[in-house]
Coordinates of all heavy atoms in Angstrom, one line a residue:
S19 N -10.0 -52.0 -57.4 CA -10.5 -53.1 -58.1 C -12.0 -53.2 -58.0 O -12.6 -53.2 -56.9 CB -9.9 -54.4 -57.6 OG -8.5 -54.4 -57.7
S20 N -12.7 -53.2 -59.1 CA -14.2 -53.5 -59.0 C -14.4 -54.9 -58.5 O -13.7 -55.8 -58.9 CB -14.8 -53.4 -60.5 OG -16.1 -53.8 -60.4
I21 N -15.3 -55.0 -57.6 CA -15.7 -56.3 -57.1 C -17.0 -56.8 -57.5 O -17.7 -57.7 -57.0 CB -15.6 -56.4 -55.5 CG1 -16.5 -55.4 -54.8 CG2 -14.1 -56.2 -55.1 CD1 -16.6 -55.5 -53.3
M22 N -17.5 -56.1 -58.6 CA -18.8 -56.4 -59.2 C -18.7 -57.7 -60.0 O -17.7 -57.9 -60.7 CB -19.3 -55.3 -60.1 CG -19.4 -53.9 -59.3 SD -20.7 -53.9 -58.1 CE -22.1 -54.0 -59.1
T23 N -19.8 -58.5 -60.0 CA -19.9 -59.7 -60.8 C -21.0 -59.5 -61.9 O -21.3 -60.4 -62.6 CB -20.2 -60.9 -59.9 OG1 -21.5 -60.6 -59.2 CG2 -19.1 -61.2 -58.9
G24 N -21.5 -58.3 -61.9 CA -22.5 -58.0 -62.9 C -22.7 -56.5 -63.0 O -22.1 -55.7 -62.3
T25 N -23.5 -56.0 -64.0 CA -23.7 -54.6 -64.2 C -24.9 -54.1 -63.5 O -26.0 -54.8 -63.5 CB -23.9 -54.3 -65.7 OG1 -22.8 -54.9 -66.4 CG2 -24.1 -52.9 -66.1
V26 N -24.8 -52.9 -62.9 CA -25.9 -52.3 -62.2 C -26.0 -50.9 -62.6 O -25.1 -50.2 -62.7 CB -25.7 -52.4 -60.6 CG1 -26.8 -51.7 -59.9 CG2 -25.6 -53.8 -60.1
T27 N -27.3 -50.5 -62.9 CA -27.6 -49.1 -63.2 C -28.8 -48.6 -62.3 O -29.6 -49.4 -61.9 CB -27.9 -48.8 -64.7 OG1 -29.0 -49.7 -65.0 CG2 -26.7 -49.2 -65.6
T28 N -28.8 -47.3 -62.1 CA -29.9 -46.8 -61.3 C -31.2 -46.7 -62.2 O -31.1 -46.6 -63.4 CB -29.6 -45.4 -60.8 OG1 -29.3 -44.5 -61.9 CG2 -28.4 -45.4 -59.8
V29 N -32.3 -46.9 -61.5 CA -33.6 -46.8 -62.2 C -34.2 -45.4 -62.1 O -33.6 -44.5 -61.5 CB -34.6 -47.9 -61.7 CG1 -34.0 -49.3 -62.0 CG2 -34.8 -47.8 -60.2
A30 N -35.5 -45.3 -62.5 CA -36.2 -44.0 -62.7 C -36.1 -43.2 -61.3 O -36.0 -41.9 -61.4 CB -37.6 -44.1 -63.2
N31 N -36.2 -43.8 -60.2 CA -36.2 -43.0 -59.0 C -34.9 -43.0 -58.3 O -34.7 -42.6 -57.2 CB -37.3 -43.6 -58.0 CG -36.9 -45.0 -57.6 OD1 -36.0 -45.6 -58.0 ND2 -37.7 -45.6 -56.6
G32 N -33.8 -43.3 -59.1 CA -32.4 -43.3 -58.6 C -32.0 -44.5 -57.8 O -30.9 -44.6 -57.3
A33 N -32.9 -45.4 -57.6 CA -32.6 -46.6 -56.8 C -31.8 -47.6 -57.5 O -31.7 -47.7 -58.7 CB -34.0 -47.3 -56.4
F34 N -31.0 -48.4 -56.7 CA -30.2 -49.5 -57.2 C -30.2 -50.6 -56.2 O -30.4 -50.4 -55.0 CB -28.8 -49.0 -57.6 CG -28.0 -48.5 -56.4 CD1 -27.3 -49.3 -55.6 CD2 -28.0 -47.1 -56.2 CE1 -26.6 -48.8 -54.5 CE2 -27.3 -46.6 -55.1 CZ -26.6 -47.4 -54.3
T35 N -29.9 -51.8 -56.7 CA -29.8 -53.0 -55.9 C -28.5 -53.7 -56.3 O -28.4 -54.0 -57.6 CB -31.0 -53.9 -55.9 OG1 -32.1 -53.2 -55.5 CG2 -30.9 -55.1 -55.0
L36 N -27.7 -54.1 -55.4 CA -26.5 -54.8 -55.7 C -26.6 -56.3 -55.3 O -25.6 -57.0 -55.3 CB -25.2 -54.2 -55.0 CG -24.9 -52.7 -55.4 CD1 -23.7 -52.2 -54.7 CD2 -24.7 -52.6 -56.9
T37 N -27.7 -56.8 -55.0 CA -27.9 -58.2 -54.6 C -27.3 -59.1 -55.5 O -27.6 -59.1 -56.7 CB -29.5 -58.4 -54.5 OG1 -30.0 -57.5 -53.6 CG2 -29.7 -59.9 -53.9
G38 N -26.3 -60.0 -55.0 CA -25.7 -61.0 -55.8 C -24.8 -60.5 -56.9 O -24.4 -61.2 -57.8
K39 N -24.5 -59.2 -56.9 CA -23.7 -58.6 -58.0 C -22.3 -58.2 -57.6 O -21.5 -57.5 -58.3 CB -24.4 -57.3 -58.5 CG -25.7 -57.5 -59.0 CD -25.7 -58.1 -60.4 CE -27.1 -58.1 -61.0 NZ -27.1 -58.6 -62.4
Y40 N -21.8 -58.6 -56.4 CA -20.4 -58.4 -56.0 C -19.9 -59.5 -55.1 O -20.7 -60.3 -54.5 CB -20.4 -57.1 -55.2 CG -21.0 -57.2 -53.8 CD1 -20.1 -57.5 -52.7 CD2 -22.3 -57.0 -53.6 CE1 -20.7 -57.6 -51.4 CE2 -22.9 -57.1 -52.3 CZ -22.1 -57.4 -51.2 OH -22.6 -57.5 -50.0
T41 N -18.6 -59.6 -54.9 CA -18.0 -60.6 -54.1 C -16.8 -59.9 -53.3 O -15.9 -59.3 -54.0 CB -17.4 -61.8 -54.9 OG1 -18.5 -62.4 -55.6 CG2 -16.9 -62.8 -53.9
C42 N -16.8 -60.0 -52.0 CA -15.8 -59.4 -51.2 C -14.5 -60.1 -51.4 O -14.4 -61.3 -51.3 CB -16.1 -59.4 -49.8 SG -17.5 -58.3 -49.3

């Protein structure tokens, strides 16, 4: 089950942030 509450994609340097985008 995805526990994401929003969409996240990597940026130009491959970085990503999941801040506030998931719930356990």
Side-chain angles (χ1 to χ4, degrees):
S19 300
S20 169
I21 60 172
M22 301 293 293
T23 59
T25 302
V26 175
T27 56
T28 58
V29 295
N31 64 355
F34 60 86
T35 301
L36 299 179
T37 305
K39 299 282 187 176
Y40 72 95
T41 303
C42 292

